[in-house]
Amino acid sequence: MTKTPLIMPDAPFLKEHNEDGQLFSPSAERNLGPIIKQLANHVPAQGTALEIASGTGQHVATLAKRFPRVNWQPSDIALDRLRSIEAWRKTVRLDNLLPALQLNAAGKWDDHLTDLKLIYVVNLFHLISEKDAVAVLKGMSDSLGNDGRVFIYGPFKEHEQYRSEGDARFDSNLTAQDPEIGYKDVAWMWRQMKDSGLGRVEQVEMPANNLSLVSQKIVESPV
Ligand SMILES: C[S@@+](CC[C@H](N)C(=O)[O-])C[C@H]1O[C@@H](n2cnc3c(N)ncnc32)[C@H](O)[C@@H]1O
């Protein structure tokens, strides 16, 4: 069964730039600076970085410019977002920004997505169910290279509590639309990552009560 698309609080601000379907999100613009500062510690010297749930494509367009030795692969599940990513790609014209890929990150990942050096995702986990979140983490772990990193950014609960009044309001808006989705507890995220073979590198406090969670593959050392 096809689910009704979520109505996001920032939907009215997702402005269409031009007839190519290029979308602009002010919130994606606001969080990008602090994210790049943290992410810079984890961007590989070279190789492929996959962004899942790329949304408008604003982030990946900037990241490809800022980190030119890495090949950036944007992706999303939604056709209007893929169109917007392509429009951003046309605007920035960078050889290391690959064509947008349609990927349901909770489904089967494309076979060519292997040995990724970075998997980057912003503001997805609160919008999907626990079951889908586990599937996304498994997809990440399977596609990540042994020396790669996973960078997750977004709003989470901590000790099963909201981290602000705004978070509580936002989550109740989401769960009213779909009781299966909503904020995940950060300790739950770390447990699921570990079960998927991803070990904790760091957890960093970000602006507006968001967190970044960085992990890498747990590699068994030979005995
Ligand atoms: C809140 S937006 C975040 C977009 C972007 N990462 C940003 O921060 O601006 C959530 C995005 O997740 C995408 N999405 C939702 N479920 C998905 C799934 N199962 N696989 C891949 N993308 C998904 C939506 O299409 C949307 O573009």
Side-chain angles (χ1 to χ4, degrees):
M1 197 180 73
T2 314
K3 285 193 172 179
T4 315
L6 290 172
I7 300 166
M8 299 295 293
D10 70 347
F13 306 114
L14 265 182
K15 294 211 178 76
E16 196 143 340
H17 258 345
N18 57 27
E19 66 283 357
D20 284 349
Q22 188 173 17
L23 300 169
F24 177 82
S25 155
S27 64
E29 207 58 22
R30 273 196 303 276
N31 61 26
L32 185 55
I35 289 177
I36 289 182
K37 225 167 140 192
Q38 279 308 315
L39 183 69
N41 301 322
H42 307 288
V43 173
Q46 55 193 13
T48 301
L50 170 73
E51 180 180 25
I52 64 173
S54 296
T56 61
Q58 279 161 262
H59 278 196
V60 79
T62 302
L63 292 172
K65 192 166 179 192
R66 172 74 177 70
F67 303 102
R69 292 170 66 90
V70 175
N71 288 320
W72 292 87
Q73 172 66 75
S75 69
D76 202 280
I77 193 173
L79 289 177
D80 65 330
R81 299 302 199 269
L82 294 172
R83 188 158 176 253
S84 177
I85 298 163
E86 279 305 300
W88 277 95
R89 214 165 69 84
K90 215 166 101 186
T91 306
V92 296
R93 294 163 169 270
L94 296 168
D95 288 344
N96 64 324
L97 180 51
L98 304 172
L101 175 75
Q102 185 167 32
L103 175 69
N104 173 3
K108 182 176 168 353
W109 287 39
D110 294 36
D111 291 336
H112 77 277
L113 296 174
T114 54
D115 197 28
L116 297 171
K117 302 300 180 205
L118 177 70
I119 303 177
Y120 170 77
V121 59
V122 171
N123 288 333
L124 173 68
F125 281 91
H126 56 298
L127 304 178
I128 57 178
S129 67
E130 285 193 351
K131 183 167 164 272
D132 281 357
V134 169
V136 171
L137 294 172
K138 169 86 171 58
M140 287 174 155
S141 180
D142 288 348
S143 295
L144 193 69
N146 284 353
D147 51 352
R149 294 269 160 104
V150 169
F151 185 99
I152 297 172
Y153 170 99
F156 296 95
K157 288 196 271 189
E158 206 166 17
H159 310 296
E160 294 299 338
Q161 305 291 317
Y162 293 106
R163 307 181 78 239
S164 74
E165 293 270 318
D167 283 311
R169 270 197 305 277
F170 184 24
D171 195 32
S172 75
N173 175 299
L174 293 173
T175 51
Q177 297 182 60
D178 181 348
E180 287 191 1
I181 66 168
Y183 279 38
K184 311 292 176 285
D185 191 87
V186 70
W188 183 88
M189 287 291 294
W190 286 119
R191 276 199 306 278
Q192 302 309 320
M193 281 191 258
K194 192 167 174 217
D195 289 351
S196 304
L198 295 169
R200 176 173 173 147
V201 174
E202 64 174 12
Q203 174 175 318
V204 179
E205 189 72 39
M206 301 294 285
N209 301 305
N210 289 294
L211 294 174
S212 65
L213 315 179
V214 181
S215 59
Q216 67 189 5
K217 218 155 175 165
I218 300 165
V219 182
E220 305 285 334
S221 47
V223 272

